[in-house]
Amino acid sequence: MTKIGGEGPVYRPYVLIFLIYAIMREIHFAELMRPFSFTDRFVFVIDFFYPMISLRRALFALIAVGTPAFIQGEDIHKGNWLSWRGPLQTGVSLESYEGFKLSEDPVWTDEISGQGTPVIFDGRLYTWGYRGTGPDLEEVLQARDEKTGEIIWERASSDFISDTIYNRYSVGAPAVDPETGNVIVATTFGLVTCYDKEGNQVWQHSMIERFGRLTFPNGRAGAPVIDGDIALIRGVTSYWGADGPARDRFFGFDKNTGELLWSSTPGVGPPFLRDSSMSQPFVETRNGKRVFYSGTGCGNIVCVNILDGTPIWRYQMSKGGINSMPVIFGDSLIGIHGKENLDTTEMGRLFSMTLPADYNETGGVIDEEQMGAPRLPDSVEEWRAALEMFTSSPVLHEGKVYQMVKTGSLFCVDAKTGKKLWEKKLSNSQLHASPALVDGRLIVPTFPGDLYVINISGDEPVEENKIKLDGNCIGSPAICNGKVYVHTTEKFYAFEIENSGITYAAAPEQKMPEAGEATSLLPVPSDVLLKAGESATVSLRKLDANGVVVGKLDNVDVDWEAFVPPTARVKAQMDAGFKGNTISAADEASLSAGAWKANADGLSGILRGRVISGFPYSEGFEDYELEAKPGGSVAGRAFDFPPLPWIGARLKWEVVEIDGNKALSKTLDRVLFQRSLSFIGHPDSSNYTAQADVMTDGNRRIKSVVGLINQRYIISLVGNANILEVSSNHERLKESVPFRISANTWYSLKTRVDIAEDGSGVVRAKAWVKGEAEPEAWTIEVKHQKAHAKGAPGIFGFSPQAQKTVFVDNIQITPNN
């Protein structure tokens, strides 16, 4: 524990020099009171004694060679707030103060909207918000000076092909890696990006186009988690092969390179009622395993090995998604949800459950039909309290749970027994925002826009302060170095905690699992995407039974063999080959997908991969063999599965016979897929023309929507409205022209996107009755000031309430001249 200022300070001879230095440099007293590291002191000496000497930078460079770039070990949380829920993952700050008063007036504000939580590291404040309206709305990551709020750099991105509504953006938080200083952020529309401290892009994934991530109107993206060398991302995805069904999945990426290490599907079945989850994973070491706990969209609390993605157990309690973050209390897990319980008709509950004593033998049962992790019995529940909260997470401190509920009341509950100790009404409603705790006080933002300071040091809560903010409070506060930061839907606020000294408690030691004997191989990346003519090098790591990296497999002959899982419904192989540990697709390689098994030193591991064709590309489906078989959307109907390498196509589309030809038909048996996006090419594709024949089933009163995706724009024939429409998000960019659409009539649809040097663009499209002459002029041309410069081609179908299907045939993707 480090004590700065306060009663009984230890005076040393250099204190006077520090005071003189502070006056010279106009340093605020509060800044002088913060902890000084060895590097701080060195810079002070150079700055004070050699202000006129140009050797200052050179001397600093010399010391930096032997000094870690960032704080390591037990000090990483001192003066930092690295992730959404702070150093303990519970919303509790490690700071305490001599004298505490939250200033009524903010130190500074910024006119940028936000619904998430900022993070702080090494003097940088990273805010996550949004600005603009209509097609100009952007989500913005901003790196600021922690003391002044001055923007050092910012990176903005525009929504694309999502169905987010009502400005539901930046509902989450960035995460900072204390080892490298890199910051990772996940946008509402599935763009996961890693930046270094200076704002340079390190790696990026478009989760929609690369891994089939679905978007939802609620816009809940959540926050990345960084643990060791792993960056953890979650989302509901519909990928390919066994990962084709829509499930709430977790992805473990190498935090430094962005290479996929594993993906995990611990839940069962699709999310209930299109209910994605933003539940932040809680990470710990237990039973020799590094694990995380999280809620899912299918109503489970799950436990997964974060090192290799192995599902360990699940506990199902809800008929809807669980969005709040669970916390760990000894050998128990405490969480809350706001949907209907499985065993009662009541909505929601705060609960505690006993964690299994042995994570190798959990006592759970695997559902052979639904798969997922073994399900724990209902008897693991220790207690429940009739509290309902959909998204706000509990704060755990000294054996007490502090929880906001949807009706705006704050509860204190005994963590051992579930007994309600007190209740305090703060507002009429609450959404998303979780309280934070510091120095015996809860900092509570409420949805109507009031920021409360509640003293909880006694038996009853005492309201110390209530500050009215502009906008609604949806994001949770962050607390760091005597300041409270909170975002509203209108502003970002920085408040000062007036005090005479800060004490920084040490965070509990995070004990990592010890390595054992190697039992398997992990190909890195574990999933490859190749264009025809491309190659990729795969490295191999040796893992023990708990997923701990034992070492790398170097200078060893590896046998790579094509592998077809025995349960695969489409028996396919990737049109590629290995030479050493380099996998290559020939220039003439066909569109394909498959798996490989690496064998070496008596160990093995699985690699998945796809080969996507370059342009031109065409698909008319006439070579597909139709037959009645398991897995179809209509019992007894002859069909075939869509192309395996397409992203998000399985279960959304089937090849059927229509009008004497074979074509894709949108399935209607899953309401979750009433809005279907499927991608054909690489996420980095650009400057191409997409064309296809399309048709909607129905009648004069009921028709559906069918179209193409070109560079993150949807170009569609909207049957009921009789229009040709260009959109990227219906509330951001949407323009249309009248176009009469008849049910059960084939139309040809053609589109291209042209980007200018200044970054603006024009989306062009035309449609005509199939078989008639193509019109010379474009039917619609839509200008976009901040155009999408790249994006995978694909197909789009929307069948409201899954009533009428749509058809797609004769797809052609050609490069523009």
Side-chain angles (χ1 to χ4, degrees), residues 187 394 447 804:
T187 70
F447 181 72
K804 300 297 180 182

Side-chain angles (χ1 to χ4, degrees), residues 18-19 21-34 36 107 147-148 481-483 496-499:
F18 266 86
L19 291 173
Y21 174 72
I23 295 171
M24 289 171 56
R25 293 300 184 193
E26 298 180 344
I27 297 176
H28 191 275
F29 178 74
E31 169 61 13
L32 188 64
M33 301 304 293
R34 72 176 178 82
F36 283 84
V107 180
K147 305 180 192 67
T148 67
N481 293 322
K483 287 189 174 64
E496 185 173 8
I497 299 174
E498 299 173 7
N499 67 91

Side-chain angles (χ1 to χ4, degrees), residues 113-142:
S113 302
Q115 301 180 78
T117 301
V119 294
I120 302 98
F121 179 68
D122 195 39
R124 290 279 177 90
L125 169 70
Y126 297 96
T127 59
W128 178 229
Y130 62 95
R131 66 186 175 206
T133 59
D136 296 325
L137 186 142
E138 301 174 307
E139 285 190 312
V140 188
L141 174 68
Q142 295 175 320

